[in-house]
Amino acid sequence: MDIQFTEEQELLRSSIQRVLRDQYDFDARRRIVASEQGWSRERWQAFAELGLFAAPFPEDVGGLGGGPLSTMVTMHEFGRHLVVEPFVETIVLAGGLIGHAGSEEQKRALIPDIIAGTKIWALAWTEKGSRFNLADVATTARRDGKDYVLTGEKTAVVAAPWADHLIVSARVAGHRWDRGGVSLFVVDRRAANLDLRSFKTIDGRRAAEVSLRDVRGRLLGNEGEGVSALEACRDRAIGALCAEAVGVMAELNSATLEYSKIRKQFGVTLGTFQVLQHRMVDMFIAHQEALSLMQHLNLSLDANEIGVSRLASGAKSKIGYAGRFVADQAVQIHGGMGMTDELNVGHYFKRISSINIQFGDPAYHVLRYAQLDAAA
């Protein structure tokens, strides 16, 4: 599969490429990650001014109507440059949930600030022992006037240290695994009784353990519909993460090929060894297969096709295994220097490893794909 981009999509892609080439090379990225904040507000605002945050949203909320395909274009280029700013967390996850589950009043109140780049969001859904089950929620919420009071623990909330607001899943009824008892809530990250324990992730980003003790939050959408909203959000997030992974794979292949042309062993360049040529061909094939599947998934998401959730699991699994294969081979061919901090290859390897466990690792999605296939 090879998507023929529209004029608007080509313009978006070329604009992103230009900005990232000029402002987000590997050295600039290392400085951003090493800074106290761990991300760049200046770069974030530059992305907003470029229209990247408006692109996926429909026009009736101030967006440009680009949908999942604009997200795919953005995330593919972000993957090539290892962008750490929270586009997926704020635009795809939070923005997508507000657009999908929020009331008209909530959309008008919350989405414009996201598009303008003035507010950062994070999604707090994972809990200890829940693995990848969206319905496994022990955090509770009880109604108190117009608001709700939340109590519980959320783990590994990516971008929470940067966020102004969190979307938190919490149980209003039922047992721990009851799908129908989960709702979503908007919580101010600086709310009273909300404790944040920040840490660095292996790929250079920031996340946090979040503790809530009678924290006030506002219901997002309808009560009891949190799991279905999260499932739709997960499919869109997988589409974005797969695009990012394919961008990472493209850079790993390019770096490995260039290295094989200049690195000499036994008096000849590495690229002359047939066994390494075969490896790099396999890496190229894995990338091309992943690229086609990623495009197929995002086209299906854009068309809102029936069965897209099954396709998302298939893509997450296939691209996850392909990404790990390409990353492993790139590190091996580069040798010991492949995992040094000074070389970008190791950083791409770590990002692939992180993508592989977000919203379910490849093994989980193989099983989920089989279950959805049997149910079809």
Side-chain angles (χ1 to χ4, degrees):
M1 177 175 290
D2 184 17
I3 292 180
Q4 298 300 311
F5 290 114
T6 65
E7 183 178 348
E8 291 79 8
Q9 290 164 348
E10 285 289 0
L11 180 61
L12 176 65
R13 181 166 64 171
S14 62
S15 298
I16 298 170
Q17 289 174 339
R18 182 175 62 254
V19 168
L20 294 179
R21 182 181 62 247
D22 295 342
Q23 302 181 19
Y24 217 103
D25 61 17
F26 180 60
D27 289 335
R29 191 256 186 193
R30 288 183 66 198
R31 289 192 295 271
I32 289 171
V33 170
S35 68
E36 182 179 353
Q37 294 78 19
W39 73 299
S40 171
R41 174 74 68 174
E42 180 183 357
R43 300 295 189 277
W44 185 254
Q45 284 303 134
F47 296 153
E49 292 169 6
L50 197 61
L52 301 190
F53 304 160
F57 289 103
E59 295 178 3
D60 59 2
V61 294
L64 301 177
L69 292 181
S70 67
T71 299
M72 179 191 73
V73 171
T74 300
M75 290 305 299
H76 184 263
E77 298 305 324
F78 277 15
R80 297 179 74 107
H81 288 263
L82 291 174
V83 173
V84 297
E85 281 66 32
F87 183 91
V88 168
E89 291 75 21
T90 298
I91 311 303
V92 180
L93 296 178
L97 281 170
I98 295 168
H100 177 81
S103 65
E104 290 302 316
E105 181 182 359
Q106 288 173 325
K107 293 176 188 178
R108 290 194 299 269
L110 301 175
I111 291 179
D113 285 339
I114 292 177
I115 290 175
T118 57
K119 296 296 181 181
I120 307 298
W121 289 69
L123 173 62
W125 69 274
T126 53
E127 298 187 7
K128 293 179 180 178
S130 67
R131 192 60 173 165
F132 307 120
N133 186 353
L134 297 171
D136 189 348
V137 178
T139 300
T140 60
R142 57 179 175 83
R143 188 151 195 162
D144 184 17
K146 293 183 179 180
D147 294 332
Y148 287 74
V149 177
L150 283 65
T151 298
E153 308 282 340
K154 296 294 180 177
T155 187
V157 183
V158 179
W162 306 328
D164 300 291
H165 299 286
L166 305 177
I167 295 180
V168 181
S169 61
R171 182 165 299 286
V172 295
H175 59 74
R176 177 165 179 168
W177 300 277
D178 182 10
R179 286 174 53 90
V182 178
S183 299
L184 300 176
F185 300 91
V186 175
V187 175
D188 189 322
R189 206 265 288 172
R190 295 170 181 81
N193 303 321
L194 189 154
D195 180 47
L196 209 68
R197 298 180 299 280
S198 304
F199 60 90
K200 289 185 178 181
T201 59
I202 64 167
D203 56 348
R205 302 182 181 217
R206 304 292 170 89
E209 304 293 304
V210 179
S211 175
L212 306 107
R213 294 289 179 268
D214 294 330
V215 175
R216 302 191 73 83
R218 291 167 290 155
L219 180 67
L220 179 66
N222 298 321
E223 189 173 292
E225 298 180 1
V227 173
S228 60
L230 285 171
E231 286 175 339
C233 176
R234 174 175 58 188
D235 293 339
R236 294 190 295 271
I238 287 173
L241 290 171
C242 285
E244 184 183 4
V246 170
V248 170
M249 293 165 66
E251 288 301 307
L252 283 169
N253 280 353
S254 177
T256 305
L257 180 61
E258 289 304 311
Y259 180 73
S260 72
K261 293 178 180 179
I262 60 174
R263 179 70 168 91
K264 289 187 175 182
Q265 190 73 28
F266 305 114
V268 295
T269 58
L270 290 180
T272 61
F273 293 101
Q274 191 175 56
V275 66
L276 297 185
Q277 292 174 4
H278 290 171
R279 282 200 194 188
M280 286 183 282
V281 168
D282 289 340
M283 292 166 66
F284 173 80
I285 293 172
H287 170 256
Q288 291 299 302
E289 290 176 343
L291 174 63
S292 293
L293 187 52
M294 177 271 289
Q295 291 178 343
H296 180 31
L297 170 59
N298 280 283
L299 282 170
S300 299
L301 286 167
D302 189 63
N304 199 25
E305 293 181 1
I306 296 174
V308 72
S309 190
R310 175 171 166 267
L311 177 59
S313 278
K316 188 66 161 63
S317 175
K318 176 68 176 178
I319 294 173
Y321 284 126
R324 185 54 186 265
F325 169 77
V326 169
D328 285 346
Q329 298 305 311
V331 169
Q332 289 185 22
I333 292 174
H334 278 81
M337 66 181 295
M339 289 302 291
T340 59
D341 187 68
E342 292 76 13
L343 193 68
N344 61 3
V345 170
H347 295 265
Y348 286 114
F349 178 95
K350 292 173 184 177
R351 182 57 191 150
I352 282 288
S353 299
S354 293
I355 290 173
N356 272 0
I357 61 173
Q358 288 187 260
F359 288 97
D361 60 20
Y364 168 83
H365 280 287
V366 167
L367 179 60
R368 184 169 183 268
Y369 181 90
Q371 292 171 337
L372 292 173
D373 189 46

